[in-house]
Amino acid sequence: MIDVRRMQVLRAVVTSGSVTAAAAHLGYTPSAVSQQVAALEKETGIALLERVGRGVRPTAAGRLLTEHAAVISQHVAAAETALADLRAGRTGRLGIRYFASVGPTLLAPALARLRREHPDVTIDPKLTDPNDPLPDVEQGHADLAIVVRRTSDESRPGIRLMHLLDDAYQAVLPTGHPLAGRRMIDLAALAGEPWVGSEPPGPCLEPITDACAAAGFSPDFVAKSEDYATAQGFVAAGLGVSLIPRLGLGTRHPGVTIRPVRRPEPVRTIYAAVREISLDQPALRALIDALVGAAKA
């Protein structure tokens, strides 16, 4: 295999017309330059330079390698520029995984801010419901995932979780329900009600079932929907009551009443998950800052 660095030395010799001038340009000794050219001739199996008076000139093979060395230098310079742009956050691509209810409330304003700050970064957001997006981050298929996790969940090696928001669940009742007149509802007051499920099995359902267990009952699900709008429709139709997180109540059905819940208040905790090794990327850091800002807003 031809040594690229030796090709660059040969190019310096051909450009300057002498070993001594090339050595001065490269910061080498003349003997070191001669050794590099000799090693390159040994690698290629052909003479690359011939002496002309006090200088040298390339053979046909020397001219060929010099031309390729020039092309390589251009590619290296382009790579260095592209790398500098990526390192500074001016270019790049960010793969994002998210679930539906954080799309309009957290992700949309964060992406708008990221677009203003890093207009040349390509953004690739993908909805992952109902799958857990964390494996995509672990395997390098995504740069960031918005996830729901409990404090008791095991940490993942190489993954950083950054807290964004505690999203409390609220009671969704049919208009005219006896409890709708209360400003706040104790969770135990819903124990004897038929329930409309609003969450799939997993980290978003667990805060509901855990809170109900703490209140001394297990909810009787008579209907289930993994879509918040449909769940509200089921409640409005009188099928039962439901608990839906605040982020899922951006659009409210006219036939329901929404009240906060206490004793206990079910809460899902939302995090941004990234690989530790990726945290030095300016665009990714900017996205995290934008998500934190959107969560505070």
Side-chain angles (χ1 to χ4, degrees), residues 61-288:
R63 284 193 300 272
L64 179 65
L65 280 188
T66 299
E67 292 169 0
H68 282 284
V71 173
I72 291 171
S73 293
Q74 293 171 0
H75 285 303
V76 169
E80 289 175 343
T81 299
L83 186 59
D85 287 340
L86 180 65
R87 194 164 49 236
R90 291 186 290 270
T91 60
R93 176 185 175 278
L94 288 178
I96 303 164
R97 303 292 183 268
Y98 70 100
F99 54 94
S101 58
V102 299
T105 51
L106 284 182
L107 189 58
L111 293 186
R113 174 176 160 182
L114 180 68
R115 181 71 72 192
R116 291 193 299 270
E117 297 176 357
H118 298 269
D120 294 324
V121 172
T122 300
I123 302 169
D124 181 22
K126 290 185 179 179
L127 185 66
T128 60
D129 284 351
N131 298 320
D132 182 2
L134 195 53
D136 280 353
V137 175
E138 291 177 310
Q139 297 163 17
H141 301 313
D143 298 286
L144 180 145
I146 301 176
V147 299
V148 174
R149 283 293 180 273
R150 299 184 300 178
T151 55
S152 59
D153 290 340
E154 292 184 3
S155 60
R156 305 286 188 94
I159 297 296
R160 175 83 62 87
L161 293 176
M162 280 154 289
H163 178 265
L164 296 178
L165 184 69
D166 292 325
D167 190 20
Y169 284 84
Q170 297 190 311
V172 181
L173 313 170
T175 299
H177 190 280
L179 296 175
R182 300 185 183 181
R183 294 182 60 185
M184 184 171 289
I185 298 174
D186 288 351
L187 187 57
L190 301 177
E193 299 283 341
W195 279 60
V196 173
S198 65
E199 301 285 13
C204 289
L205 179 61
E206 289 165 358
I208 296 174
T209 55
D210 289 349
C212 290
F217 72 98
S218 178
D220 177 23
F221 292 109
V222 298
K224 294 183 180 181
S225 171
E226 297 175 7
D227 173 79
Y228 296 139
T230 303
Q232 289 187 64
F234 286 171
V235 172
L239 297 182
V241 301
S242 186
L243 291 183
I244 295 177
R246 286 195 182 100
L247 290 184
L249 292 169
T251 301
R252 302 191 178 191
H253 193 289
V256 302
T257 298
I258 297 169
R259 293 289 181 265
V261 177
R262 64 181 180 181
R263 298 177 183 170
E265 179 185 51
V267 175
R268 64 177 185 176
T269 306
I270 300 173
Y271 296 88
V274 299
R275 293 187 303 283
E276 296 269 6
I277 198 172
S278 301
L279 284 170
D280 60 348
Q281 298 180 24
L284 182 59
R285 290 297 317 179
L287 174 58
I288 294 169

Side-chain angles (χ1 to χ4, degrees), residues 25-49:
H25 173 72
L26 296 171
Y28 297 164
T29 64
S31 61
V33 170
S34 296
Q35 289 172 9
Q36 291 292 316
V37 174
L40 186 59
E41 288 180 328
K42 185 176 181 181
E43 287 176 348
T44 58
I46 191 171
L48 302 174
L49 295 174

